[in-house]
Amino acid sequence: MVTKEVVINNQVGLHARPATFFIQKANEFKSSIWIEKEDRRVNAKSLLGVLSLGIVKGTAVNLIADGADEATAVDTLSELIASDFTE
């Protein structure tokens, strides 16, 4: 299991379009992936789950992955967040 804390810095947070990019990227991996905000953890491959966290600009979240490609998954998703969701 790999865990990494990241801060969401894009203008709208992890909402609508950025959330869609994030979920599409998460679904490229075989590992189970979660995103955790405070005491809530949701499946990072679920749009409703991610949107339910209400992640706004400046929010710190934990990315958690468990599986065959866990390290690559966390690194790739961290890079996507750091790039403010530009492809």
Side-chain angles (χ1 to χ4, degrees):
M1 184 176 291
V2 176
T3 303
K4 183 173 184 177
E5 184 176 281
V6 294
V7 177
I8 308 298
N9 284 317
N10 67 313
Q11 267 326 102
V12 296
L14 199 51
H15 182 68
R17 191 171 185 166
T20 301
F21 285 147
F22 181 85
I23 290 153
Q24 286 172 343
K25 190 60 77 177
N27 276 300
E28 293 176 9
F29 299 99
K30 292 179 182 174
S31 295
S32 296
I33 306 170
W34 301 275
I35 186 166
E36 189 175 65
K37 176 186 166 196
E38 296 162 0
D39 61 345
R40 290 195 55 215
R41 181 186 290 191
V42 299
N43 183 345
K45 298 179 181 182
S46 163
L47 182 60
L48 288 177
V50 172
L51 292 177
S52 74
L53 292 177
I55 299 169
V56 296
K57 181 178 180 178
T59 302
V61 297
N62 287 314
L63 298 177
I64 303 157
D66 189 21
D69 52 3
E70 60 191 23
T72 306
V74 168
D75 288 343
T76 302
L77 293 171
S78 297
E79 290 169 12
L80 180 65
I81 290 168
S83 74
D84 291 338
F85 300 93
T86 55
E87 297 260 336

